[in-house]
Amino acid sequence: FGIISIIYLWRNMKDARYGRGKSMLKRIITVAVALFLLAHYIVVVYYSINIRAEFDKVMVEYEKSPDGLVFADVTYDYQASPLAWKKPYFEIFTYDWVMYWKDKFYNDCNKQMRVIPTCLRKADELKGNHIYLDVVSVGATINVMLASIMAEGVTIIENAAKEPHVVDVANFLNSMGANIKGAGTDVIRVRGVERLHGTEYAIIPDQIEAGTFMFAAAVTKGDVTVKNVIPKHLESISAKLLEIGCEVEESDDAVRVVAAKPLTHTHVKTLPYPGFPTDMQPQITVALALSSGTSIVTESIFENRFKYVDELTRMGANIKVEGSVAIVDGVKQFTGAQLVAPDLRAGAALVMAGLAAEGYTTVSEIEYIERGYENFVEKLRLLGANIEQVDSEKEAQKFRLRVG
């Protein structure tokens, strides 16, 4: 824009000097357009430089930060800026350029550091308070605990989440010197301490990973023993497996699932712990889709958690979603298909469906699965699955030829 405007201005001055070219009216219009483009260019460059300068300022704060965590507050609101002139043509020409630099700011930040782009401000100190959570939330409970362990006074969290990993986080923090009581109940009391100290701590086993392998045994009519688990944390999962016809054997630190009989239908509703976990909803739906009869799955925790149903339908599943409820009519067999994992747990569930399907199944976007399951493919292969992680269609073809 700047180059075009300068060329226009130079040509008009040259034409005027030699008395040739456009009429006076055309020359005025051309000069006006050129001046407009030049003004637009100057404004865009000005704000682009400011946004880049903001990025550089945050990078300086990042380099000074001992933990690499920076609260970046970028308040270049287009609608509130001088760019938001009440003339549509100017907004159209300007918006994309400024948003390009704003997006680039966030992208560069995320590549180079952990940034929280938010309007939060750093508090000089935190003070204990009485907090009631309107909705039972694991993330909210853990975050309030983290904020309150060094806050002045006592913090009381009511309607707190009771999941095992909430208790585990509390135990971990207590081992560092925190004073947290009541974790595992709906009321948690935290008395702030002045400082924390280092510790060594062994985290609890992941009950969702264990539950995934338990339901994998069900859908493949297998016999799987999951070791290094806490069976009490798996009670709601074990109960549903028993309802659909599986055998479940528990020991001190292991659970065995045997699916020797045809699976039957049941109803399930996701609930906060100790209810059936929402993170196991896709896995049980796959099992129910291969069970006899009609089952109903109700999701009461999250919205839009049935995105994977379309993928299962491509494999031959008969599932109808109505809001937060899925009505599942069981079928005898899935057929292999090209699938896309929409999220972490649904991705694992689609892999389970592929293991039970006739023919070859390909699941893409597996970075979701890798985020929540360590060595998922290797563990399934050790259980006897014909499965391989590939990076190209050529490798996939070699796998098909090898397994026959």
Side-chain angles (χ1 to χ4, degrees), residues 250-265:
E250 296 180 355
S251 59
D252 291 340
D253 62 350
V255 175
R256 181 187 180 194
V257 178
V258 181
K261 303 176 182 178
L263 303 180
T264 59
H265 64 278

Side-chain angles (χ1 to χ4, degrees), residues 145-146 148-150 165-184 188-193 195-201:
M145 281 198 306
L146 290 171
S148 60
I149 54 176
M150 298 183 70
H165 42 290
V166 172
V167 179
D168 202 40
V169 170
N171 291 337
F172 167 68
L173 294 172
N174 283 337
S175 72
M176 298 179 69
N179 187 347
I180 303 173
K181 296 181 180 179
I188 298 176
R189 291 175 174 82
V190 184
R191 184 176 296 277
V193 297
R195 64 181 61 197
L196 301 175
H197 55 74
T199 187
E200 291 186 8
Y201 188 84

Side-chain angles (χ1 to χ4, degrees), residues 186-303:
D186 56 1
V187 179
I188 298 176
R189 291 175 174 82
V190 184
R191 184 176 296 277
V193 297
E194 291 186 359
R195 64 181 61 197
L196 301 175
H197 55 74
T199 187
E200 291 186 8
Y201 188 84
I203 63 174
I204 61 173
D206 183 352
Q207 73 268 28
I208 303 302
E209 182 182 13
T212 299
F213 286 110
M214 292 167 70
F215 270 99
V219 301
T220 59
K221 299 178 175 58
D223 181 347
V224 174
T225 299
V226 185
K227 298 180 179 180
N228 188 32
V229 297
I230 302 175
K232 183 172 178 58
H233 295 169
L234 302 168
E235 286 179 346
S236 62
I237 297 171
S238 298
K240 288 301 175 183
L241 284 166
L242 289 170
E243 284 184 23
I244 64 176
C246 294
E247 300 174 24
V248 180
E249 300 176 6
E250 296 180 355
S251 59
D252 291 340
D253 62 350
V255 175
R256 181 187 180 194
V257 178
V258 181
K261 303 176 182 178
L263 303 180
T264 59
H265 64 278
T266 191
H267 298 340
V268 61
K269 181 178 182 179
T270 62
L271 291 167
Y273 185 84
F276 192 85
T278 181
D279 280 352
M280 286 300 303
Q281 180 253 101
Q283 295 91 315
I284 193 173
T285 301
V286 170
L288 296 177
L290 291 169
S291 304
S292 61
T294 300
S295 303
I296 297 177
V297 180
T298 304
E299 175 57 59
S300 68
I301 307 298
F302 292 114
E303 297 180 356

